[in-house]
Amino acid sequence: MLDEPGRPLRQAEVPDPEPQPGQVLLRVRACGVCRTDLHVLDGELPEPKLPLILGHQIVGIAEDGRRLGVPWLGWTDGTCRYCTTGRENLCDRALFTGYQLDGGYAELAVADERYCLPIPEEYGDEEAAPLLCAGLIGYRSLRLAGDADRLGLYGFGASAHIVAQVARHQGRRVFAFTKPGDAAGQAFARGLGAEWAGGSDERPPDELDAAILFAPVGELVPIALGTVAKGGTVVCAGIHMSDVPSFPYELLWGERQVRSVANLTRADGEEFLALAPRVPVRTRIEVFPLAQANEALDRLREGRIEGAAVLIP
Ligand SMILES: [Zn+2]
Ligand SMILES: [Zn+2]
């Protein structure tokens, strides 16, 4: 339970959530830990529900026995100009799981059934959890990177380790950038098919057609622009980033683009969860008991998680 941003989570006994019409009650089997959880915890995202149960990569069992996933997109109005044009990820009144709605760092959770996703049977509960945000947002970012052949991934954590596998499956070439000196992270990336891995302060051996920034570091935007070829795209995948420093127009010239990725649509979820077992995406996870949620978040903050952290109630 988050009482106030800036404070550690507190273990709490709360009344069982009661499903409203259209909602399902889920017994949580696993919940992934996402960098967005850190941004909420640190007060970098405005006006969270308080007190709040974090967590938006929930794998749970409904009362009728179905295994469902609850992603970040928890509710939309269905009527605004974005919802009615296939862009529910941009809905003005959207509500997000583990931010404005209680999430999955809990034994029980409720969710609007229309936004739940069936979990592919090929995956165990823990392995499936990171697919629900790291995988989904990563997949949307990859789609927005267009048909880039030479793909750079800045920040090789939960999302990038999944995107690398999908990108390789699609026949793309992957170049991974970690924190300078993170030899273990670079070896991890090469093990997942990256043909080159180095520090974010290094230049890749070849120009890139697109780069996806998973690290929430604005300074990387001009650096990444400097690595992409004419017509290339830099996709910022995070919900929060430190300020982007000013940079010479020359870096953007040549029809290069910088764009963000915001949230996800249910169509992204269905598409990605159908694709993941065909790749097949294998998630590298580190499992923590729910009571160690603070430790999992600290480890993520320090960059000491290889792949994705998952909480088990
Ligand atoms: Zn997330
Ligand atoms: Zn809407």
Side-chain angles (χ1 to χ4, degrees), residues 33-37 56-57 72 132-134 137:
V33 177
C34 177
R35 180 163 293 279
T36 298
D37 302 341
H56 56 268
Q57 305 186 83
W72 169 246
L132 291 164
C133 185
I137 296 288

Side-chain angles (χ1 to χ4, degrees), residues 11-83:
Q11 195 165 340
E13 285 292 331
V14 295
D16 288 356
E18 285 184 23
Q20 303 300 309
Q23 288 187 322
V24 278
L25 176 67
L26 298 168
R27 186 156 292 280
V28 178
R29 302 292 295 266
C31 185
V33 177
C34 177
R35 180 163 293 279
T36 298
D37 302 341
L38 276 181
H39 295 313
V40 176
L41 185 77
D42 293 344
E44 288 165 331
L45 299 184
E47 297 176 15
K49 169 191 179 293
L50 290 174
L52 172 70
I53 297 172
L54 284 175
H56 56 268
Q57 305 186 83
I58 310 171
V59 177
I61 305 289
E63 287 170 295
D64 61 9
R66 282 176 304 157
R67 189 168 66 142
L68 296 175
V70 185
W72 169 246
L73 186 72
W75 185 86
T76 57
D77 58 16
T79 56
C80 73
R81 66 170 65 214
Y82 301 105
C83 285

